[in-house]
Amino acid sequence: AGMAGAFLMEIRRGTQSALLVIRYAAAELSSAPVEVSVCADSLEVRSGGSCDAAALPAGVSLAPSSCRGLQRLRGDGLHLRVRLRRAPPAADVVFTLRESLKPNKNYIVYCQSCGDIVVKDRKFLRVLPLPSENWSDLVEEWCCHPDPFARRTLHPQHGDCFVGDTFFLLNSGNESHVPESPKSKENTRVICKRCKTMLGETVSSGTIKYYVTEVIIQPAEGSFSPTPRSQFVQSMVAQCLLELSSAKSTFRFTIKGDNGKTYILIWLLNSDTLLVESLGSSSSHSDFTLFGDILTPSSGPVGTWNAVKVLYQPCIQCRNKELADAWENDMGVHPLKFPSETCLELLLILGLSTTSLPPSLRCMNSFQVRNSFC
């Protein structure tokens, strides 16, 4: 049986330490003494003659003698810190689009929202990485003579796939959903024929930009398998953050819409977090229903999830304008562009994740805290 108040354990693989929060309601804590027992592979809580126990997932082993800092925080429950006997297995290597796509293979592009086929059976002869979107701003620092790349753009041929940070470029070919002669910014939007979701935009007469949050590319011999929208969005954004932080040692990002507006400021804290939560009768569990299958373990009353911990600030309705302007002019901040509708989806996901955390863990230095599942 799950523990009446449930628990949340945030494990850091790098430091082999964990924060344990036993989420009992205030009334339950005041009605009777609470005794917490921490064992290497389980937790036990006794209160008022009842006893609730939960086994920890395989690979998670605690050092009971290292428990310290036990305290009760109003609205949270009981907090304590504990060391691990050994670090849990490392998370799987982050999936990247440019590594998964192989030359001389046939692929199908699906609309992520409804599963409609966007590009049929396209064979990629070349899969090439693109430079960062702001690469041209740095050319003056690299060259001692006039910019040799000025007014030049990269146009993929029919067998090419050019992969960027948040998008990939394909030759439009004969795709019927592509505007033939865009006359305005609105006319450049590439829309799914079935569900009318924005998939990308035309960047020239023969080139389409598809956003990685809107489409799924799979080998032609495979089949489309739907993924809950919120799960897919946060997973793809987390992968972008991890890849860029690893490749470029940058940890601050601006989330921009295709309309040029900045929606969110994100600061990546760590990527070695493992979350463990009991799925008993905790009132907090209902807060996670937005994320669909990502928070439903295959079996057992305790779930584990690899997570990326970020700080974030919303920038809609002129909020945090001064900070956003400062980040805009900081070369250490990397911009990430998505459809404006997806930026709003991501902001909602961030907000709901923050409210699911214990109140004491929701803010840090005026930023809001979020665990993004990858």
Side-chain angles (χ1 to χ4, degrees):
M3 299 169 67
F7 73 87
L8 173 69
M9 184 183 297
E10 184 178 295
I11 294 173
R12 291 291 308 277
R13 291 183 174 90
T15 59
Q16 297 192 39
S17 60
L19 169 66
L20 172 62
V21 181
I22 300 175
R23 306 175 78 172
Y24 268 73
E28 292 175 307
L29 284 172
S30 59
S31 61
V34 177
E35 179 181 333
V36 180
S37 298
V38 179
C39 303
D41 56 0
S42 64
L43 298 172
E44 186 177 280
V45 178
R46 296 176 180 273
S47 178
S50 64
C51 176
D52 294 313
L56 298 178
V60 177
S61 180
L62 306 179
S65 60
S66 67
C67 291
R68 57 185 174 83
L70 177 64
Q71 59 178 327
R72 171 192 167 188
L73 297 181
R74 184 175 298 276
D76 281 18
L78 300 176
H79 284 231
L80 62 89
R81 293 189 177 274
V82 62
R83 302 283 298 176
L84 304 182
R85 284 186 169 179
R86 60 179 179 274
D92 294 336
V93 178
V94 64
F95 163 86
T96 60
L97 188 63
R98 67 189 64 184
E99 292 177 357
S100 66
L101 297 179
K102 305 297 181 184
N104 298 311
K105 289 193 65 175
N106 288 38
Y107 291 90
I108 297 177
V109 180
Y110 299 90
C111 170
Q112 193 278 325
S113 297
C114 70
D116 194 32
I117 293 179
V118 178
V119 178
K120 298 179 181 178
D121 208 11
R122 179 76 65 89
K123 186 175 185 178
F124 297 148
L125 301 178
R126 298 190 302 172
V127 179
L128 302 174
L130 287 168
S132 300
E133 285 204 34
N134 60 346
W135 68 274
S136 58
D137 298 335
L138 304 175
V139 171
E140 292 182 0
E141 304 295 331
W142 303 339
C143 301
C144 58
H145 50 278
D147 181 2
F149 307 106
R151 293 180 296 279
R152 292 187 181 182
T153 55
L154 299 172
H155 296 295
Q157 301 303 310
H158 186 73
D160 293 340
C161 179
F162 295 168
V163 185
D165 292 339
T166 64
F167 63 91
F168 58 93
L169 301 181
L170 296 182
N171 185 278
S172 60
N174 298 319
E175 304 302 329
S176 60
H177 59 284
V178 180
E180 293 182 2
S181 55
K183 299 179 178 61
S184 67
K185 174 64 178 176
E186 186 63 27
N187 287 337
T188 67
R189 294 163 65 92
V190 176
I191 307 298
C192 174
K193 292 180 293 183
R194 178 189 291 175
C195 68
K196 309 306 179 185
T197 297
M198 177 187 173
L199 306 176
E201 55 191 281
T202 57
V203 295
S204 71
S205 59
T207 303
I208 313 176
K209 173 194 288 185
Y210 291 106
Y211 288 103
V212 297
T213 53
E214 312 310 314
V215 296
I216 294 177
I217 307 182
Q218 291 186 343
E221 61 270 17
S223 59
F224 178 80
S225 55
T227 303
R229 175 66 183 163
S230 55
Q231 174 184 342
F232 184 81
V233 169
Q234 64 178 326
S235 177
M236 295 306 298
V237 172
Q239 289 168 22
C240 290
L241 300 181
L242 287 177
E243 184 179 6
L244 289 168
S245 64
S246 175
K248 302 181 180 182
S249 296
T250 182
F251 303 96
R252 289 181 297 159
F253 304 87
T254 55
I255 305 298
K256 292 177 169 290
D258 62 292
N259 56 7
K261 295 181 180 180
T262 298
Y263 284 81
I264 314 170
L265 309 178
I266 289 184
W267 197 322
L268 176 63
L269 280 185
N270 65 68
S271 58
D272 66 345
T273 297
L274 177 68
L275 293 179
V276 181
E277 188 184 27
S278 70
L279 302 181
S281 57
S282 169
S283 60
S284 68
H285 178 50
S286 61
D287 295 335
F288 286 110
T289 54
L290 173 74
F291 302 110
D293 295 343
I294 198 166
L295 290 172
T296 305
S298 56
S299 62
V302 177
T304 61
W305 303 275
N306 293 310
V308 173
K309 180 174 284 292
V310 301
L311 305 180
Y312 71 96
Q313 288 278 23
C315 295
I316 58 174
Q317 299 178 339
C318 295
R319 294 178 62 183
N320 301 300
K321 187 177 186 306
E322 291 185 5
L323 182 60
D325 290 342
W327 280 35
E328 187 75 26
N329 299 318
D330 191 329
M331 293 297 292
V333 177
H334 192 88
L336 295 176
K337 182 180 176 183
F338 299 100
S340 301
E341 296 87 346
T342 300
C343 295
L344 293 174
E345 283 184 83
L346 179 60
L347 188 56
L348 176 62
I349 292 169
L350 291 170
L352 289 172
S353 175
T354 297
T355 58
S356 72
L357 293 172
S360 66
L361 304 180
R362 295 176 186 174
C363 295
M364 181 184 296
N365 297 335
S366 79
F367 280 77
Q368 297 180 71
V369 179
R370 153 75 159 117
N371 290 310
S372 182
F373 302 96
C374 54

